[in-house]
Amino acid sequence: MGTPEFPDLGKHCSVSDCKQIDFLPFTCDRCHQVYCLEHRGYIKHQCPKADKQDVTVVVCPLCAKGVRLVPDQDANITWENHVNTDCDPSNYEKVTKKKKCPVPGCREILGFSNTIKCRDCMVDHCLKHRFGPDHKCPGPRKMETNFSFRNLLNVSKKQESKPQPSSSASSRWSTGFLNAVSNIRSSAEAGVSKLSEVNQGWWKASGGVGASQSSGQVEQCPQCGAKFSSVTALVDHVQKVHERSGNRSGPKVTIDACPKCSRGFQDPVALVEHVERDHGGNSRS
C-alpha cells in the first residue's frame, strides 16, 4: 500500500467483503470509518450510527406543537416529558383555526398575501372588503379623556355644598395648601422689602433724591436744627458742615429718602409706614 515517496497513500475499505485499496478514500462522519467510492453511503456500508444527527419532529395532536425526538432516547419517554411539561391543549385552536374576513357573508380566509388592515377601525379584512364603505367602517375611534378638569371642578363644588364629615386626608391637604400659601406670601414680602432696600441704596448712591413734590415741606437738620426746603439741600449741608468740618458733636444720623416723594426719614420703620400709608405700599417712582 502506497509508494516509497508516499507510504500513507491509499487505504483499504472497511467493508469486510470489499477491502479495496482506494487512493482517495472516504471517511464516514457518523462511524468515522474509511470506505471506498462504492461503499461511502450510509446504506451501502450499513452504518450503525446513521441516525445520530437526524432531526425528527412529531406534531402533537393535543396542542399542535412540534416535539423533537432525541436519537438516543425512547420516543415514548420524549412524548411523556412533553405531555407533562409543555403540552397546552388551549393552543390547538389558535394554531389550527384559520382567520376569516369579519364581513358578514364573506368566507375568505385571511392569509399573508390577502390581508389588509383598515386604517380607521384597525381591523383585518380581505382584498374585496378593504375599503371603508365595503365593510361598513364605523370610522376612527374617538379619544376619550380619562381626566376632565371641568368635571373635577363640578365634583369639588358639589362636595363643598354638601356637608361631609372631615377626614384626615382632606385636613392634611388643606394644611399643606395653607403652608404653601404662607410660604409664598412670606417670600413675596421678603422680595418687596429687598426691593425697597435696593431702591433706597440707589437713591443714596446717585445723590439725586430730587426736590420734594409736596409744596411747603421743610426738612430739618437733626444736629444743628437748620431747616431746608429739600432733602438734597439737607444732605449737602450735612456733608459740608458736619462731616468735612469735623463738627461731630452729635451722633451720626443716617437719613433714608422715600423713592416716591423724596421725603427724608431717620427711622426706617417710619419710612415703611409712610410708603404704606401715603403711596399704597408701592415704592416705585
Side-chain angles (χ1 to χ4, degrees):
M1 184 175 64
T3 60
E5 292 80 6
F6 303 98
D8 297 333
L9 183 62
K11 292 183 180 180
H12 289 281
C13 182
S14 298
V15 179
S16 58
D17 296 339
C18 180
K19 296 296 181 181
Q20 181 183 356
I21 297 176
D22 196 335
F23 293 99
L24 294 173
F26 296 89
T27 302
C28 180
D29 59 348
R30 305 295 174 86
C31 61
H32 304 288
Q33 298 293 328
V34 179
Y35 298 97
C36 62
L37 179 61
E38 183 180 358
H39 300 98
R40 70 181 186 276
Y42 300 141
I43 300 176
K44 291 293 183 179
H45 66 267
Q46 298 179 359
C47 183
K49 299 180 180 180
D51 58 346
K52 184 177 181 181
Q53 298 182 359
D54 291 347
V55 178
T56 304
V57 178
V58 179
V59 179
C60 177
L62 301 177
C63 62
K65 292 183 180 180
V67 181
R68 181 177 178 179
L69 300 179
V70 182
D72 297 336
Q73 189 179 14
D74 189 5
N76 295 327
I77 298 176
T78 305
W79 176 258
E80 290 180 0
N81 293 335
H82 165 71
V83 172
N84 295 330
T85 58
D86 195 25
C87 186
D88 186 10
S90 62
N91 188 53
Y92 184 81
E93 294 183 359
K94 298 179 182 179
V95 176
T96 57
K97 187 177 180 179
K98 296 181 180 180
K99 191 175 182 180
K100 296 182 180 181
C101 182
V103 177
C106 182
R107 298 183 179 181
E108 185 73 18
I109 298 175
L110 300 180
F112 176 77
S113 59
N114 65 339
T115 302
I116 295 180
K117 180 177 289 186
C118 180
R119 295 182 179 180
D120 295 334
C121 61
M122 304 302 292
V123 179
D124 294 335
H125 296 85
C126 63
L127 296 176
K128 183 179 179 181
H129 302 98
R130 64 183 181 274
F131 297 110
D134 296 335
H135 62 266
K136 297 180 181 180
C137 182
R141 298 179 179 177
K142 297 181 180 180
M143 298 297 295
E144 296 181 357
T145 57
N146 295 328
F147 181 80
S148 178
F149 187 72
R150 290 186 176 181
N151 294 335
L152 180 62
L153 291 178
N154 295 332
V155 172
S156 62
K157 290 180 180 179
K158 291 180 180 179
Q159 290 179 356
E160 290 178 358
S161 61
K162 296 180 180 180
Q164 295 181 357
S166 59
S167 60
S168 60
S170 61
S171 61
R172 287 197 300 267
W173 185 86
S174 59
T175 304
F177 182 76
L178 293 177
N179 293 334
V181 171
S182 61
N183 293 333
I184 294 174
R185 183 176 180 180
S186 60
S187 61
E189 293 177 353
V192 171
S193 61
K194 187 68 177 178
L195 180 61
S196 62
E197 292 178 0
V198 172
N199 291 334
Q200 292 176 9
W202 180 80
W203 280 96
K204 290 180 181 179
S206 61
V209 292
S212 176
Q213 295 179 358
S214 60
S215 60
Q217 185 176 350
V218 178
E219 301 294 340
Q220 185 177 2
C221 177
Q223 297 185 10
C224 64
K227 297 182 179 181
F228 301 91
S229 60
S230 65
V231 180
T232 305
L234 175 61
V235 173
D236 294 338
H237 164 72
V238 172
Q239 291 179 354
K240 293 179 181 179
V241 177
H242 300 290
E243 292 185 359
R244 295 182 182 180
S245 62
N247 185 11
R248 299 182 181 180
S249 58
K252 185 177 180 180
V253 179
T254 303
I255 300 175
D256 298 327
C258 175
K260 189 74 175 178
C261 63
S262 303
R263 183 178 178 182
F265 295 90
Q266 299 180 11
D267 189 4
V269 178
L271 174 60
V272 174
E273 293 178 354
H274 162 71
V275 171
E276 292 180 353
R277 181 180 63 255
D278 298 338
H279 305 295
N282 187 6
S283 61
R284 294 183 181 180
S285 58

